[in-house]
Amino acid sequence: MRRSPSFLAGAASAAAVLALALPAPALAADGDGGFTIKDPRITESSGLAASHLHPGIYWTHNDSDDGPYLYAVDSRTGETVATITMKGVGAPRDVEAISLGPDGDLYVGDIGDNLGGKWSYVWIYKLPEPKVLKDQTIRATQYVVKYADGPRNAEALMVHPKTGRVYIADKNEDGGHLYEGPARLSASGTNIFRSVATIDLWVTDGAFSPNGEQLVVRGYFGGIAYTWNDGKLKRQGRLDVPLQRQGESVTYTPDGSKLMYGSEGKDSPVQPGSVPGGGSDSKSPSQGGGSASGGGSGGGMSSGAKGALALAAVLVAGFGLKRLLRKS
């Protein structure tokens, strides 16, 4: 999604300072230790979903101005191994999210609205995850979506892995809401999404755990984990989100043992993080703000990283003060 100059001058500059100072994450042979998206076509990776059929493959897409394309990226090499062209969906406006459902289908959220309410409706596209990874065209089903309380901007779409129900989290600087879709989407009518919970975060993406018992949402500088009990949210704590240039996406590894965080930009990194309260290498969520850890070996920060953190804190504080003064 396009960002305002004030955002780029504040939040992105702080992120850039820290990103340069902190060590790059170690890479693992299976890709779960992190990888870099090498495809020069993918400069605005805005969603991320781990394949159900192809181990080590992650699905992603650009957001605005790219077209009806999905990319299968091999996490072991960072290379694109298949490009999918969606057929039957017209011209996407602002694709922001991707998720896999229990039916084995890919759900793509064309739900961004840079002007925060310009479009009275948005779209969800659904198509089967291809069994063979090759460049191909696949027909998708298009669903019209409206919110019960009016149009809004959103970047997070999540499909529950047990019920198949679709949820959307809107994007609001002051915190937003989780919206629940109908039990089954209708291709012939309008699908009304209704607010079912508040989310205290400027959300850029979210994901359900593979067992459906946890929901995580992320923003630019942090994230929140919730337990999920029949649609009821209970906050667990903050996520240890790695610092990224423009953090836009999050998904679980297929076994649920790690979270994978993605960012926009050329040669963008996908970095691992721990899963709060579960997973083979997880740890409990921090009770403070988001961490700059990428799920690495632990250990303390270098003096350079500590200095960058202090500088970033000043930049973020200044950015926040400017916003506060502007609102007053």
Side-chain angles (χ1 to χ4, degrees):
M1 171 178 283
R2 301 295 186 269
R3 308 286 177 245
S4 67
S6 62
F7 174 83
L8 293 175
S13 60
V17 169
L18 260 174
L20 288 172
L22 293 173
L27 302 184
D30 61 3
D32 286 351
F35 60 97
T36 297
I37 297 175
K38 298 178 180 178
D39 192 330
R41 297 172 298 176
I42 305 173
T43 58
E44 295 185 357
S45 174
S46 191
L48 197 65
S51 171
H52 286 182
L53 297 178
H54 310 286
I57 299 299
Y58 286 83
W59 292 98
T60 190
H61 54 82
N62 288 311
D63 61 9
S64 308
D65 306 327
D66 184 46
Y69 307 117
L70 306 177
Y71 305 96
V73 178
D74 189 335
S75 63
R76 290 153 293 205
T77 64
E79 302 287 352
T80 298
V81 294
T83 301
I84 304 302
T85 302
M86 294 183 288
K87 182 181 179 181
V89 300
R93 293 187 295 208
D94 192 354
V95 177
E96 291 287 353
I98 188 167
S99 183
L100 271 153
D103 52 7
D105 286 349
L106 289 160
Y107 291 73
V108 181
D110 190 353
I111 55 177
D113 186 342
N114 289 347
L115 300 181
K118 175 182 177 182
W119 297 312
S120 60
Y121 60 87
V122 291
W123 296 306
I124 294 172
Y125 314 129
K126 186 179 81 165
L127 64 156
E129 182 178 18
K131 295 180 180 179
V132 178
L133 290 177
K134 64 178 182 178
D135 293 351
Q136 57 189 295
T137 298
I138 299 177
R139 177 168 291 279
T141 302
Q142 181 168 328
Y143 301 97
V144 175
V145 169
K146 288 187 176 182
Y147 301 98
D149 51 357
R152 62 202 53 250
N153 185 31
E155 295 191 7
L157 177 145
M158 300 77 65
V159 182
H160 194 272
K162 302 300 181 182
T163 67
R165 199 158 200 159
V166 182
Y167 294 83
I168 294 173
D170 67 348
K171 183 182 183 184
N172 191 307
E173 290 180 65
D174 301 317
H177 297 82
L178 181 70
Y179 289 83
E180 180 183 74
R184 292 290 178 267
L185 296 177
S186 169
S188 59
T190 300
N191 298 274
I192 304 298
F193 278 62
R194 305 180 187 281
S195 174
V196 293
T198 58
I199 301 290
D200 187 22
L201 189 72
W202 196 7
V203 176
T204 60
D205 201 12
F208 282 109
S209 61
N211 63 12
E213 296 176 1
Q214 187 178 66
L215 171 70
V216 297
V217 290
R218 74 159 299 176
Y220 295 116
F221 294 108
I224 303 173
Y226 299 91
T227 58
W228 183 270
N229 184 11
D230 293 329
K232 295 181 176 62
L233 294 181
K234 182 178 180 181
R235 181 169 173 149
Q236 287 182 289
R238 290 194 174 274
L239 300 176
D240 290 328
V241 176
L243 185 90
Q244 296 174 311
R245 176 167 50 186
Q246 188 173 316
E248 287 282 335
S249 58
V250 65
T251 190
Y252 288 80
T253 55
D255 63 2
S257 66
K258 295 179 183 178
L259 290 167
M260 302 295 283
Y261 296 95
S263 174
E264 286 195 5
K266 183 180 178 181
D267 296 324
S268 60
V270 177
Q271 297 170 258
S274 59
V275 176
S280 60
D281 61 348
S282 65
K283 57 184 178 181
S284 60
S286 65
Q287 296 304 312
S291 166
S293 166
S297 59
M301 282 189 190
S302 67
S303 59
K306 290 179 179 177
L309 181 60
L311 178 56
V314 172
L315 288 169
V316 172
F319 176 58
L321 180 61
K322 287 180 181 179
R323 300 195 69 87
L324 193 62
L325 292 174
R326 190 165 66 245
K327 289 181 178 180
S328 61

